Amino acid sequence: MASALLDNATLTAVQRITGQAPTRSSDSVDVDLVAFENYIQARLFYDDVVVIDDYLPQHREARRAAFPQLGYVTSEDFKLQELSAAADAASDAIHPKIQGGDFANPEFKALFKLLQTHMVCTWDISSSIYHLNLKVLAARNTQDFDKYGAVATAMFNELSDASRSGRRIKNDVELVDRYGNPIGNGYTIPDAKWGNGESGPPSGAIQAFSASLVWVANRAMYYTLAAAHLKADVFLYPIRQAYQQHYLAQNFKYDANFPKRLVSQFSATLSRDIAEIHNGGTLAIGAVDLPVFSAWLANSCGDPVAALHALEDIRLQNEFVEAREQVSELREIYNDGSISDANKKIGKMTASISKVSAAMREKYSIKTQQGVPLTRLVTVYNAFALLKGLPPLPKIDLSVKLPQFLRDMKREVGFSAVYRNIMNDLATFGALGQVRDVLCRRVELEDNAVAYTPKAEDPKYRHAHSKFKSPM
């Protein structure tokens, strides 16, 4: 049997979609819909879904009451504070730097590449003074701008998550111009077309966005360590999911092109169910093409709340019982020996997995003007041998009686990270038409919420000067 670990941000996204919690901006709703689909797939394909019970103390009981079907793990009982401290130390070592308009930190460059988006800074005129602003590098009123803007807005929401968690993230960021000169008080914009190029303070959005990036890194690292410790497969809020792949690639020393191949080869080509073996028998990738279950449930029930109730019923259908058995069997194959030795057994299962997933696509799909929407679920299994690339995991008391959903904690086994191509999924949800309206019918905007809506920087004017703006 297999367990899945969810982060609290995913549960909050589910509550925003179902109207139990307000959303700060309509621009980030589609990212929440991807998280909503993550939750549904975790419930469908895993016997147990687990959450770390460290939500806000004043809302903890309400959270448990809202999700009684989940298992809850306390930080104290399983020494997760040690993992939180390790994640804090690693994220504190990240010093955001923007040079020539781009984030210069390699971890943030990797994140934007995996998200297939690009954020830039430019000098913009306001009251005859140049101020540095953060923008999405895409032409306004294009599909790319809508998707990139959704990612940027969801990123800003991460800082709100940190604040709700009682965490204060440092917001200092180093600013350097395209010539390598530091930017500070009294800086003058080279080649400015307005006045003498006098600059003022940068937009507060730059510091907030930089702090959000650090928090994304922190949460991705913490939940990766927690999943490895608890021996559970991990589903994260989509932005964090993307960063996790960079973190794993760095620590487990995947080949250099692995994260990029996840985006292009494994998660972008919706064609057939696959299982591949990599990195000398320590890494395995599985991918399956699935219907958008949240769309089917919403279309059938007419309401996202009713959809969650129906979810608990359909997960008892034979095809999902069989699917969970296959997930558990595949996990045991990986855990019982080397991944390379398991390759032949995996090959025998491929036909069965393909049959089940094909049946699901036929039964649980809807049709839109663009055709039948599908999503690709990619799992990356990391064998126990790879875990030495992570910070030390805490030792547990082997005499303690563990809950059933943590039955693997006393074994030396690996874990899986679950990955989605967020840009593909955003496009899928954006094209659902009336079904998307049904999914979003309970979404409520927070009163007087301050939300960031990114501006656009047309790529063709990225390096151009005008009387209104200059490149950084």
Side-chain angles (χ1 to χ4, degrees):
M1 300 178 77
S3 299
L5 174 68
L6 294 181
D7 59 351
N8 274 301
T10 295
L11 298 189
T12 301
V14 172
Q15 292 189 300
R16 287 195 291 258
I17 294 300
T18 56
Q20 298 176 60
T23 186
R24 297 178 65 86
S25 170
S26 58
D27 291 328
S28 60
V29 169
D30 281 348
V31 182
D32 282 350
L33 287 175
V34 177
F36 189 67
E37 179 70 16
N38 258 355
Y39 173 84
I40 288 173
Q41 292 190 7
R43 288 296 295 155
L44 291 176
F45 296 113
Y46 286 82
D47 297 293
D48 299 299
V49 180
V50 183
V51 182
I52 298 173
D53 195 17
D54 59 356
Y55 197 55
L56 299 173
Q58 64 270 32
H59 299 305
R60 197 166 293 171
E61 289 304 317
R63 171 59 62 88
R64 279 176 167 262
F67 298 97
Q69 63 275 27
L70 306 184
Y72 291 85
V73 176
T74 61
S75 298
E76 296 77 14
D77 290 345
F78 297 97
K79 301 183 179 180
L80 298 181
Q81 302 98 321
E82 296 179 29
L83 304 181
S84 182
D88 289 349
S91 63
D92 286 346
I94 299 174
H95 302 289
K97 177 180 179 180
I98 300 173
Q99 180 167 1
D102 295 314
F103 280 90
N105 306 76
E107 54 268 31
F108 297 154
K109 284 184 175 181
L111 174 62
F112 291 135
K113 184 178 292 185
L114 289 170
L115 292 173
Q116 303 168 66
T117 189
H118 200 150
M119 303 298 294
V120 298
C121 290
T122 65
W123 293 106
D124 296 340
I125 286 289
S126 177
S127 301
S128 301
I129 302 293
Y130 283 93
H131 296 274
L132 201 60
N133 282 308
L134 184 69
K135 298 179 180 177
V136 172
L137 188 64
R140 182 169 286 280
N141 299 323
T142 62
Q143 188 180 50
D144 282 346
F145 176 78
D146 291 340
K147 290 189 294 184
Y148 300 165
V151 169
T153 304
M155 194 78 75
F156 274 99
N157 287 342
E158 287 282 351
L159 197 57
S160 299
D161 177 80
S163 178
R164 286 192 298 269
S165 302
R167 301 291 295 276
R168 182 174 176 83
I169 307 301
K170 62 180 182 181
N171 59 6
D172 55 311
V173 54
E174 181 182 358
L175 303 175
V176 181
D177 71 12
R178 62 189 181 280
Y179 301 112
N181 302 312
I183 296 171
N185 293 334
Y187 177 81
T188 301
I189 287 83
D191 306 317
K193 299 295 184 183
W194 180 271
N196 62 356
E198 180 184 356
S199 70
S203 163
I206 293 175
Q207 290 182 320
F209 191 77
S210 300
S212 297
L213 290 171
V214 173
W215 181 245
V216 167
N218 179 288
R219 294 294 85 185
M221 291 187 282
Y222 171 62
Y223 277 99
T224 298
L225 295 174
H229 179 51
L230 299 173
K231 310 298 190 293
D233 297 354
V234 59
F235 286 74
L236 299 180
Y237 191 71
I239 306 294
R240 301 174 180 184
Q241 227 167 24
Y243 189 92
Q244 183 191 46
Q245 287 307 321
H246 163 73
Y247 178 63
L248 290 174
Q250 290 293 105
N251 283 272
F252 292 167
K253 294 181 172 54
Y254 296 170
D255 65 79
N257 293 321
F258 178 79
K260 183 178 179 180
R261 284 193 292 118
L262 269 181
V263 171
S264 59
Q265 179 182 350
F266 295 110
S267 60
T269 305
L270 294 175
S271 57
R272 60 186 178 85
D273 304 325
I274 59 173
E276 297 203 7
I277 309 301
H278 293 272
N279 280 35
T282 55
L283 182 69
I285 306 171
V288 59
D289 297 344
L290 296 169
V292 182
F293 292 105
S294 56
W296 182 88
L297 285 164
N299 192 51
S300 301
C301 301
D303 182 273
V305 175
L308 288 186
H309 290 298
L311 165 67
E312 296 305 313
D313 291 330
I314 72 164
R315 74 185 298 271
L316 303 178
Q317 299 293 319
N318 288 337
E319 57 265 34
F320 293 109
V321 173
E322 183 179 349
R324 290 195 293 274
E325 289 174 350
Q326 290 178 346
V327 169
S328 297
E329 183 180 351
L330 189 59
R331 180 65 183 264
E332 287 303 311
I333 289 173
Y334 290 151
N335 289 338
D336 287 344
S338 74
I339 294 176
S340 296
D341 292 340
N343 201 11
K344 292 182 180 179
K345 296 180 182 178
I346 293 171
K348 294 180 181 178
M349 292 182 64
T350 301
S352 177
I353 293 172
S354 298
K355 181 179 178 181
V356 172
S357 60
M360 289 178 182
R361 291 194 291 270
E362 181 176 350
K363 184 175 180 179
Y364 297 102
S365 290
I366 62 170
K367 291 185 178 180
T368 68
Q369 292 181 345
Q370 285 74 28
V372 176
L374 295 175
T375 183
R376 167 154 284 195
L377 186 69
V378 179
T379 58
V380 182
Y381 179 84
N382 306 274
F384 177 76
L386 279 175
L387 299 189
K388 63 179 181 294
L390 295 177
L393 302 177
K395 301 295 184 182
I396 62 168
D397 184 352
L398 296 180
S399 65
V400 173
K401 184 178 180 181
L402 296 173
Q404 181 65 12
F405 57 75
L406 296 181
R407 51 195 154 263
D408 279 335
M409 272 201 75
K410 295 181 180 179
R411 301 170 60 196
E412 293 185 346
V413 300
F415 75 104
S416 288
V418 181
Y419 180 78
R420 322 183 71 91
N421 185 318
I422 184 173
M423 284 304 170
N424 281 5
D425 285 346
L426 286 176
T428 296
F429 279 103
L432 288 178
Q434 291 182 340
V435 176
R436 183 188 179 280
D437 294 339
V438 174
L439 277 166
C440 298
R441 67 182 302 176
R442 287 185 177 262
V443 171
E444 295 184 4
L445 291 178
E446 184 177 333
D447 292 337
N448 303 317
V450 177
Y452 175 77
T453 301
K455 297 179 179 179
E457 176 71 2
D458 195 313
K460 63 184 178 183
Y461 299 123
R462 163 77 195 280
H463 300 291
H465 291 268
S466 74
K467 290 187 176 180
F468 306 102
K469 75 97 182 176
S470 284
M472 184 178 177

